[in-house]
Structure formats: structure tokens, C-alpha cells
Amino acid sequence: NKIEKQVQNNFEESGDRNSHFNIASTTKNETVPILGLDQTLIDINIEELNLVLDYQNPTTRHVTCFSHIEGSKIKISYLQNKDWYKKISAEDQHPKAMVISCCDSRVHVTAIFGAEQGEFFIHRNIANLIPPFSPNGDYHGTSAAIEYAVTSLKISKIIVLGHSNCGGINGCHDMCSGKAPELEKESSFIGRWMDILKPGYEKVKHILDEEERKEALGKEAVLISLKNLQTFPFIKDAIKKDKLNLYGLWTHIGQGDLEHYIDGDGFKPV
């Protein structure tokens, strides 16, 4: 991280992306201290960092491109956890739970739970919505992911994760209140997808404050999705056999809050 900052400053000062910044010393057998992704210092052999080092000079090492430093984060993570990566690549996946979340780039599912690769089977779509069971021969990406998680991976938990200031939720709100006629067109994929949430709008439209109304609509998306999950026969069967539990969560991106739904008591802080 320190090297990355130094290189970035060097580029900003010189305006030259070909600028070199000396970071190491003499021979290829030496090691350099690198601040790892878990904020601990590790020593990595110069040769193992050949993606980010340029041996143009036999006695010095130079970073030649800032983007190479960015790419090296994956390499450094691998070097820190070789055994773990080899283990999960050699075995079939065995996730502990399925998470259905929004496509929103600000929703970082694994970071919220502190999870590693292999722990969650993750499906993302607009507004974390789940349609009702409908085996009509059409294309059903979300339903296919759910079917695979339950019938093939045998996951024991499904988490529906909603979030604040969701673009899809805001779009549904505007469509239902007559402010987004483009979403009402039959040709709108977004509009037809957000039709799933229309019953939720009817439950919150009485709320006077618009921001509170949108937040409530976002939580309705979680509840409707939980309800629709239970229309799938294989999910009803797994729940009946005590092999599957469903959970509804909602996170406020700006505040870092996480709430979970309690039946009969609403959303409460975790």
C-alpha cells in the first residue's frame, strides 16, 4: 500500500505514466516487505513479484506501471494463502449459505460478513428481487440460481440482502408514482422486473416523507422476495424437512448498519 501511494504521487507530479520509482535493491534472491491485504507485513521474494517489477537494471528494481501494482493485489493474496487457494480449487464448492443481493457496486457482500472465497453462493440482480415460482419455459436466471443452490449444493441458508438508496427501488417508486413513464413500457426489462415489487409500493405509498417511503419500499423488496421463495416446491420441501432456513437482511450503506427481519417484529439492528 505504501509503494502504491508513492507510485501514484510520482505519476501525479511528473504526469508521465512511464516514470520509474526505485523500490528495491540488489539481487533477485532478495525479499521486500509488502503490506498484505490483511494489513500485516510479509516478505516476498523479488522474483515472485515479477508482475510488478522491471529488471531493466541489474542492480535496481523499478515499478513501471501503477496498474501493475493494482493487479498485484491478487498475486499477493495468493502468495499469502497458497494452501487455501489450492484446497478450494481442488474440491467442489461447499458454500455455507446463498446470498441474493442487488447488483449495486456499493454492496460488498463478502466484506459485510467478513467471508472468504467459497463461503457464500452469491446471486445478484436488480433490487435483490425474487420472482414467484413460474415454470413457463422462459429464461429464469434468478430461479435457476436458487434451484442449483438448494437442489445441487444443498445449502442450508438463503439470505435476501437489501440496501439503502437502491437505484432499482427508486425506479420502482417513480414508476408506481407516475414519474417514470419509460419504465411502464412493455419493452422495459427494468420496468417489468420491478413489477414484482408493485404490491410492496401499495403498502408504503401512505408514508409522507419520500426518503422514508423509499427505504420502506426497499425493505418490502426483501419481504416480497422471502414470500416468493416459499412458492418454489423444492424450497417448501426443504423448509418442511428442517434442511433450509430463510433470512431477510437490509443494510444502510452510508451508516454501516445491518438489520435483520424478525417475523412479527419487523427489521431490527443486528
Side-chain angles (χ1 to χ4, degrees):
N1 290 348
K2 292 179 181 178
I3 293 171
E4 182 176 302
K5 183 63 177 175
Q6 288 173 324
V7 175
Q8 186 176 31
N9 290 340
N10 196 38
F11 287 149
E12 290 172 353
E13 291 173 5
S14 67
D16 179 9
R17 290 193 65 81
N18 292 318
S19 297
H20 291 139
F21 191 92
N22 187 282
I23 65 165
S25 52
T26 53
T27 68
K28 293 184 180 181
N29 292 324
E30 290 194 39
T31 61
V32 290
I34 298 292
L35 189 62
L37 300 180
D38 61 354
Q39 302 303 304
T40 59
L41 280 171
I42 57 173
D43 288 329
I44 296 182
N45 189 283
I46 290 291
E47 286 189 298
E48 291 183 302
L49 281 174
N50 56 16
L51 283 177
V52 298
L53 300 176
D54 181 1
Y55 297 107
Q56 292 182 357
N57 186 304
T59 59
T60 60
R61 313 291 179 259
H62 300 85
V63 176
T64 59
C65 180
F66 183 62
S67 63
H68 286 177
I69 289 290
E70 285 286 337
S72 73
K73 290 179 179 178
I74 296 175
K75 178 69 172 176
I76 292 171
S77 176
Y78 172 77
L79 292 172
Q80 288 180 279
N81 303 281
K82 283 183 178 180
D83 291 341
W84 168 249
Y85 281 107
K86 288 179 179 178
K87 181 179 184 295
I88 63 174
S89 66
E91 301 175 349
D92 292 333
Q93 61 171 321
H94 300 286
K96 298 178 179 179
M98 178 182 191
V99 179
I100 299 169
S101 70
C102 183
C103 295
D104 195 303
S105 60
R106 300 165 298 173
V107 180
H108 195 337
V109 174
T110 53
I112 290 173
F113 296 99
E116 298 290 343
Q117 290 102 318
E119 290 192 62
F120 287 147
F121 183 68
I122 301 174
H123 177 75
R124 305 180 73 148
N125 63 36
I126 299 295
N128 44 266
L129 288 172
I130 298 169
F133 180 70
S134 181
N136 57 10
D138 287 339
Y139 303 111
H140 296 281
T142 296
S143 299
I146 294 168
E147 179 182 15
Y148 183 71
V150 176
T151 64
S152 295
L153 297 179
K154 308 296 183 183
I155 56 97
S156 59
K157 301 175 181 66
I158 296 180
I159 299 167
V160 180
L161 175 65
H163 70 96
S164 61
N165 195 24
C166 174
I169 298 298
N170 293 342
C172 180
H173 175 276
D174 292 346
M175 178 180 70
C176 292
S177 58
K179 299 177 182 177
E182 68 280 3
L183 295 181
E184 297 180 32
K185 296 178 181 178
E186 189 64 29
S187 59
S188 173
F189 292 110
I190 298 173
R192 302 296 61 75
W193 180 251
M194 299 313 300
D195 284 345
I196 299 171
L197 187 52
K198 277 185 174 180
Y201 178 79
E202 294 300 313
K203 291 184 178 181
V204 304
K205 66 181 182 180
H206 66 281
I207 299 175
L208 298 180
D209 183 82
E210 183 173 307
E211 291 307 310
E212 291 181 6
R213 187 163 62 246
K214 288 180 177 179
E215 181 175 310
L217 184 59
K219 293 178 179 179
E220 282 296 323
V222 174
L223 300 183
I224 286 175
S225 292
L226 289 174
K227 180 180 178 181
N228 286 344
L229 274 172
Q230 297 176 69
T231 65
F232 289 77
F234 50 85
I235 287 183
K236 287 193 291 186
D237 183 61
I239 292 174
K240 185 177 180 180
K241 294 178 179 178
D242 292 326
K243 294 182 177 180
L244 179 66
N245 291 306
L246 308 181
Y247 302 90
L249 299 177
W250 185 88
T251 180
H252 193 297
I253 296 174
Q255 299 177 7
D257 297 334
L258 184 65
E259 300 178 11
H260 68 125
Y261 178 73
I262 301 174
D263 192 22
D265 206 17
F267 284 87
K268 299 297 179 182
V270 172

